[in-house]
């Protein structure tokens, strides 16, 4: 949105002369979002700087400054830019409810009219709905007739709305959500105890994949997260009534706060069992609950009283899908239980009623079990974890499960884990990774083009046996990406199960099994499905140019379009950065019956699992397994044909061999680099703190193999400095030579300088890879999985 308008709207191009240099100047041949590219480059550079700060022993305050800088550039600046663009064009750009409708609802309230069950069609919201093609597939935007927000949101927004309208003549709710986002990060750091723990908790709010984009786009679910954290802090400081009031206001703001209320109230009561809860702790419980209920009523009733029937219709019936006018089943799209109904064609229309309420009855005994665990363990840390588990489960079984509904759990579960200090990290990390991957799969419709190709080929008519039985009856009338809906909902459900199991005492073996099941669902199943569908329909679908270079089958077409101009997926060119072993890989795959390269990558993923079991203690394997294979970069990378997992397998193998055979380790490293040239930047993995001549021999061979490939192909969009050059225009031929020399020289220089670091060779290797991603032109986003895997190993081994 932002880059397209900056490049095509004269009102936005008319910046003062001293700011003109900031505008993107991409060449006509670049079909990628230039602002996204330069933000990616900044993120990659700052990741390397942060690792250097950690390796050199920088204090927490300096690392906090780097984190704040990252948040300011990656989240605050794009948010402000979208706000400014809306003000300049007099058309707000952002979430239709959280950005466009809320000011309209506030105007109605201030004029004494109810915002509920109102007609918003003759407004900016209606104008935008009429020119948008997004809602065509869903039968129109229902919020033109409904307003689903609780009045607590209006209460928090109203002072800013009035001040902004008086001073500027307009109001964008993101000005408030930015403040709430910053407050939530600061409070999360405080409840976690500050220092290193505080940095982790703050990062989970500031730069989490589950939070940052929703914050930019205008979702306001961070409001209850900030209020709930405020309640915890107030209680910790002995201000019990103020804490209860903050809890009541949070519940009056968003439904997402409701699952946390029973856990926090029970934690504050001090009860250690059911008899205790209804005995000595009852007075404390009732006092806190009474204050929270009173604040809730004071925030809600004045607005609800404007028209109780309209309030009930929108806030209760519409949200639950019980009224005559319903939000599309599952979401647009979503990642909950309703996806299975859509996939199976269980309805004729997405507006049909579906009785999912019975699932809540199943959650009741589980919730009581979790409350019993709360009383047994005590403390607000478990309350934040228990509330997050209850929220995920309730969202999952609801009619609509959107990504922004996960914000509260994504912000509070890490803080609760760090506050409690009893649970293993994987209890929270693994579910959040699964959720991030589910959101990526569903919202980006990663399998849509593959499925459309298979359907156009007539695969349904040819399907027999298991494929015929599993064929989605909801396609094409109910969904455009049935495979994505199925995988996303399965991963989200498994995330909820994992968190509940971890909180209820599941052991390391059970959690490792759940993590393994998640890897199969997230990596193996979609990779085999995409490979099989492509083979059956005559064209290979992939996203990484490496696959185009080694695939014995042609053509190789993009699995999804990255076009800035919204062009359809196009054929992939062979990767100009292919290593010297690419020809051998292609020949081997051809001799094996023209095997899809993903089969080799899947084999590498299996090798990674086996090597991790050797490198990491059993109790930490669920964590490292998730961090190495369940990130969107890793899982989507395997499915889309990225060689990143080959690099991970080779580097882990080389690292294991170091103590047994330095020469063998070096040769494995050189072979890995010949297949995936970026791996050359991880030389510290085989050199260690000093390095023997045998290790240096392997590094020398690796540099010889990688340097020509890393510099080949010129300036392409990637993750680093090439993006900055493309932002300013088409780089000249001289830049190609400069980047080629810089890539090779950087690998050699880093191998030498890295000996000075006393930290784990896995961490130093991850630093080298991160720097390599910044230097190498055309580096793939999926290759981020390689340094992430090494960091996961380092964190678990050093612990």
């Amino acid at each position: 949105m932002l880059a397209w308008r900056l490049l095509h709207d004269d009102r936005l191009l008319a910046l003062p002369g001293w700011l003109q240099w900031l505008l993107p100047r991409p060449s006509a041949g670049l079909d990628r979002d230039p602002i996204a590219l330069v933000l990616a480059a900044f993120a990659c550079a700052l990741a390397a700087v942060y690792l250097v700060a950690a390796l050199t022993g920088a204090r927490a305050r300096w690392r906090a400054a780097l984190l704040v800088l990252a948040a300011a550039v990656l989240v605050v600046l794009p948010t402000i830019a979208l706000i400014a663009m809306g003000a300049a064009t007099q058309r707000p750009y952002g979430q239709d409810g959280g950005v466009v409708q809320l000011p309209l609802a506030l105007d109605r309230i201030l004029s004494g009219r109810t915002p509920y069950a109102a007609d918003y069609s003759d407004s900016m919201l209606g104008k935008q709905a009429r020119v948008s093609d997004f809602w065509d597939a869903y039968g129109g935007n229902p919020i033109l007739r409904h307003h689903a927000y609780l009045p607590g949101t209006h209460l928090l927004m109203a002072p800013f709305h009035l001040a902004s309208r008086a001073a500027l003549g307009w109001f964008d709710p993101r000005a408030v959500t930015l403040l709430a986002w910053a407050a939530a990060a600061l409070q999360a750091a405080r409840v976690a105890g500050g220092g290193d723990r505080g940095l982790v908790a703050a990062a989970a709010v500031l730069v989490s994949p589950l939070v940052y984009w929703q914050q930019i786009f205008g979702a306001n679910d961070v409001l209850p997260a900030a209020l709930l954290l405020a309640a915890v802090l107030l209680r910790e400081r002995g201000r019990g009534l103020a804490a209860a009031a903050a809890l009541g206001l949070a519940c009056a703001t968003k439904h997402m706060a409701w699952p946390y209320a029973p856990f926090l109230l029970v934690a504050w009561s001090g009860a250690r069992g059911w008899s205790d809860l209804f005995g000595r702790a009852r007075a404390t419980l009732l006092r806190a609950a009474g204050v929270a209920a009173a604040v809730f009523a004071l925030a809600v009733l004045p607005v609800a009283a404007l028209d109780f029937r309209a309030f009930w219709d929108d806030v209760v019936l519409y949200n639950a899908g019980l009224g005559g006018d319903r939000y599309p089943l599952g979401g647009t799209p979503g990642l909950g239980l309703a996806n299975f109904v859509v996939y199976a064609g269980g309805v004729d229309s997405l507006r049909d009623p579906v009785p999912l309420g019975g699932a809540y009855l199943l959650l009741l005994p589980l919730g009581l079990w979790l409350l019993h665990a709360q009383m047994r363990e005590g403390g607000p840390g478990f309350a934040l974890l228990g509330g997050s588990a209850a929220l995920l489960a309730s969202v999952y079984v609801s009619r609509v499960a959107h990504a922004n509904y996960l914000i509260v759990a994504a912000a509070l579960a890490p803080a609760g884990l760090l506050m409690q200090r009893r649970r293993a990290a994987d209890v929270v990390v693994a579910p959040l990774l699964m959720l991030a991957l589910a959101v990526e799969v569903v919202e980006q419709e990663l399998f849509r083009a593959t499925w459309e190709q298979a359907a156009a080929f007539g695969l349904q008519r040819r399907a027999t046996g298991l494929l015929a039985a599993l064929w989605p009856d909801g396609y094409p009338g109910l969904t455009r990406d049935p495979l994505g809906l199925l995988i996303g909902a399965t991963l989200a459900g498994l995330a909820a199960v994992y968190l509940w199991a971890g909180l209820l005492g599941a052991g390391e073996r059970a959690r490792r099994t759940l993590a393994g099941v998640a890897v199969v669902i997230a990596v193996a199943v979609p990779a085999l499905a995409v490979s099989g569908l492509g083979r059956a329909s005559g064209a290979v679908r992939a996203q990484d140019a490496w696959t185009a270079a080694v695939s014995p089958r042609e053509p190789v077409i993009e699995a999804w379009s990255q076009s800035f101009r919204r062009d359809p997926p196009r054929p992939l060119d062979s990767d100009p950065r292919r290593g010297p072993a690419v020809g051998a890989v292609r020949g081997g795959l051809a001799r094996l019956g023209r095997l899809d390269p993903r089969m080799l990558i899947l084999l590498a993923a299996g090798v990674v699992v086996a090597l991790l079991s050797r490198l990491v203690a059993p109790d930490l394997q669920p964590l490292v397994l998730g961090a190495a294979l369940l990130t969107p970069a890793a899982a989507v990378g395997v499915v889309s044909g990225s060689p990143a997992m080959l690099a991970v397998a080779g580097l882990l193998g080389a690292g294991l061999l170091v103590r047994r055979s330095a020469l063998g380790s070096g040769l494995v490293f050189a072979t890995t680099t010949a297949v995936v040239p970026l791996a050359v930047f991880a030389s510290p993995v085989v050199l260690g703190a000093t390095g023997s001549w045998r290790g240096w021999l392997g590094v020398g061979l690796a540099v010889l193999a990688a340097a020509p490939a890393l510099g080949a192909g010129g300036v392409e969009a990637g993750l680093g400095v090439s993006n900055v050059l493309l932002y300013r225009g088409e780089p000249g031929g001289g830049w190609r030579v400069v980047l080629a020399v810089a890539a090779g020289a950087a690998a050699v220089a880093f191998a030498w300088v890295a000996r000075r670091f006393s930290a784990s060779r896995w961490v130093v290797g991850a630093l080298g890879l991160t720097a390599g991603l910044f230097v190498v032109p055309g580096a793939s986003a999926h290759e981020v999985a390689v340094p992430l895997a090494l960091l996961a190993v380092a964190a678990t081994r050093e612990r």
Side-chain angles (χ1 to χ4, degrees):
M1 289 187 290
L2 182 58
W4 186 266
R5 292 290 170 183
L6 280 174
L7 293 171
H8 295 89
D9 195 318
D10 292 337
R11 291 170 295 182
L12 301 177
L13 289 171
L15 289 178
W18 61 280
L19 288 176
Q20 285 289 324
W21 67 276
L22 290 173
L23 291 173
R25 299 271 191 261
S27 68
L30 179 67
D31 193 13
R32 297 284 296 276
D33 178 353
I35 292 180
L37 291 180
V38 80
L39 288 175
F42 180 86
C44 188
L46 200 58
V49 172
Y50 198 101
L51 277 170
V52 170
L55 288 172
T56 55
R59 293 182 178 179
R61 67 178 63 179
W62 292 109
R63 284 178 282 135
L66 289 174
L67 181 59
V68 169
L69 177 62
V73 175
L74 300 175
V75 183
V76 177
L77 286 183
T79 305
I80 292 175
L82 282 172
I83 293 173
M85 183 173 70
T89 61
Q90 297 183 344
R91 175 189 174 185
Y93 288 88
Q95 191 188 62
D96 50 10
V99 172
V100 187
Q101 191 187 49
L102 259 179
L104 302 174
L106 286 166
D107 286 337
R108 292 183 64 88
I109 293 171
L110 294 171
S111 65
R113 295 176 295 165
T114 180
Y116 302 108
D119 184 1
Y120 290 93
S121 58
D122 188 21
S123 67
M124 177 54 69
L125 184 63
K127 294 175 184 177
Q128 295 196 179
R130 286 190 287 272
V131 300
S132 172
D133 60 357
F134 174 81
W135 280 97
D136 291 346
Y138 299 100
N141 193 340
I143 69 165
L144 293 177
R145 302 173 297 277
H146 300 281
H147 182 66
Y149 287 92
L150 282 166
T153 302
H154 307 133
L155 181 63
L156 293 175
M157 293 282 181
F160 298 92
H161 175 78
L162 291 170
S164 181
R165 282 288 176 90
L168 304 173
W170 53 272
F171 170 65
D172 192 304
R174 280 172 288 202
V176 181
T177 57
L178 269 179
L179 294 175
W181 168 75
L186 181 61
Q187 292 174 135
R190 288 177 175 172
V191 301
D196 292 341
R197 289 180 168 280
L199 280 176
V200 176
V205 177
L206 293 176
V207 292
S208 165
L210 289 168
V211 176
Y212 86 93
W213 164 243
Q214 303 293 341
Q215 171 62 40
I216 294 170
F217 194 53
N220 47 39
D221 300 81
V222 74
L223 292 174
L227 289 169
L228 289 169
L229 287 167
V232 171
L233 274 177
L234 287 168
R235 181 71 186 192
E236 291 292 294
R237 295 173 180 176
R239 301 176 62 184
L241 294 181
L247 176 61
L249 183 56
C251 291
T253 302
K254 280 277 189 175
H255 305 85
M256 308 308 152
W258 294 3
Y260 292 87
F263 293 95
L264 285 171
L265 290 172
V266 168
W268 294 342
S269 74
R272 307 299 292 180
W274 293 110
S275 58
D276 210 12
L277 184 65
F278 297 105
R280 68 171 184 84
R282 182 176 60 181
T284 304
L285 175 68
L286 292 177
R287 184 165 56 250
V291 172
V295 171
F296 179 89
L298 287 172
V300 170
L301 289 179
V303 177
L306 295 172
D307 189 332
F308 276 113
R309 177 64 181 271
F311 173 79
W312 179 262
D313 286 346
D314 277 8
V315 173
V316 179
L317 297 183
Y318 174 68
N319 274 328
L322 299 175
D325 193 13
R326 304 173 190 88
Y327 200 87
L329 180 66
T332 52
L335 39 80
L337 183 65
N339 282 16
F340 295 103
V341 179
V342 176
Y343 181 90
V347 291
D348 296 323
S349 167
L350 293 177
R351 300 300 178 100
D352 287 351
V354 176
L356 295 173
Y360 285 96
L361 297 178
L362 298 177
L363 294 180
L364 183 60
L366 289 174
L368 293 175
W369 190 5
L370 203 56
L371 270 176
H372 179 71
Q374 166 73 64
M375 289 183 284
R376 186 177 64 249
E377 299 196 22
F382 190 93
L384 294 180
L385 290 169
S388 297
L391 173 61
L392 291 184
S394 61
V395 166
Y396 189 74
V397 301
S398 65
R399 179 181 176 88
V400 178
H402 278 160
N404 59 288
Y405 299 167
L406 306 175
I407 289 177
V408 181
L412 299 190
L417 178 78
L418 293 162
M419 193 177 187
Q420 195 201 28
R421 306 191 183 192
R422 293 182 188 175
R423 292 291 187 289
D426 68 274
V427 171
V428 167
V429 173
L432 292 183
L433 288 174
M434 295 178 204
L435 290 170
L437 181 55
V439 171
E440 183 85 5
V441 167
V442 171
E443 294 209 332
Q444 302 302 322
E445 296 183 330
L446 298 186
F447 304 110
R448 176 182 172 183
T450 301
W451 197 268
E452 288 175 346
Q453 174 183 310
F457 179 70
L459 189 59
Q460 183 177 12
R461 297 191 304 273
R462 297 172 167 84
T464 59
L466 183 61
L467 179 58
L470 294 177
W471 191 268
D473 292 330
Y475 180 84
L478 300 176
T479 176
R480 298 174 296 190
D481 181 17
L483 185 59
L485 286 190
L486 184 64
I487 292 173
T490 305
L491 281 173
L494 193 59
V497 169
Y498 198 111
L499 181 56
W500 278 76
L503 295 182
L504 293 175
E508 161 267 319
R509 180 175 297 178
R511 301 198 314 275
R512 189 169 64 226
T513 300
L514 287 173
V517 171
V519 169
V520 171
I521 294 170
V523 179
V525 170
L528 292 171
V530 172
S531 174
L533 290 172
R535 184 173 61 253
S537 54
V540 178
R541 288 279 178 176
Q543 201 65 23
D544 199 288
W546 184 87
T547 293
V550 303
S551 176
R553 292 177 177 269
E554 295 181 349
V556 180
I557 305 173
E558 286 180 329
W560 60 87
S561 176
Q562 296 188 96
S563 170
F564 186 46
R565 295 190 275 271
R566 303 179 77 176
D567 291 339
R570 49 197 168 195
L572 277 173
D573 296 325
S574 295
D575 190 353
R577 297 181 298 112
R578 57 184 181 269
V582 163
V585 173
R586 180 169 185 162
L589 294 173
R591 285 191 292 272
L592 290 172
R594 302 178 70 193
L595 196 66
D596 189 301
R598 270 171 287 245
M599 300 303 100
L600 179 61
I601 298 169
L602 271 179
L603 177 62
V607 172
V608 168
V609 173
L611 292 175
L612 290 177
S613 67
R614 293 285 305 276
L615 279 163
V616 180
D619 62 318
L620 296 174
Q621 286 175 15
L623 174 64
V624 73
L625 189 63
L629 289 165
L630 290 178
T631 63
V636 178
V638 172
V639 176
S640 62
S642 166
M645 206 49 59
L646 296 172
V648 174
L651 291 174
L652 293 181
L656 271 174
L657 277 173
V658 165
R659 294 183 179 177
R660 295 185 180 182
S661 171
L663 180 59
S665 174
L667 292 177
V668 170
F669 177 64
T671 304
T672 302
T673 300
V675 178
V676 189
L678 180 74
V680 72
F681 289 92
S683 57
V685 170
V686 297
L687 290 176
T690 55
S692 66
W693 69 268
R694 297 176 180 86
W696 279 103
L697 176 61
V699 171
L701 293 173
V703 170
L704 290 176
L710 290 176
V715 180
E716 301 172 76
L719 295 174
V721 66
S722 59
N723 289 5
V724 180
L725 299 176
L726 292 169
Y727 183 87
R728 301 304 305 167
E730 181 66 34
W735 278 107
R736 302 182 180 187
V737 178
V738 170
L739 290 176
V741 173
V748 176
F750 183 76
W752 181 262
V753 173
R755 299 180 307 156
R756 299 179 178 273
F757 291 112
S758 59
S760 161
R761 57 198 171 101
W762 302 105
V763 179
V764 183
L767 170 60
L769 287 165
T770 307
L773 289 171
F774 184 77
V775 174
V776 174
S780 166
H782 301 134
E783 290 175 316
V784 171
V786 189
L788 287 178
L790 297 193
L791 286 172
V793 171
T796 50
R797 285 181 68 83
E798 288 185 353
R799 176 178 169 186

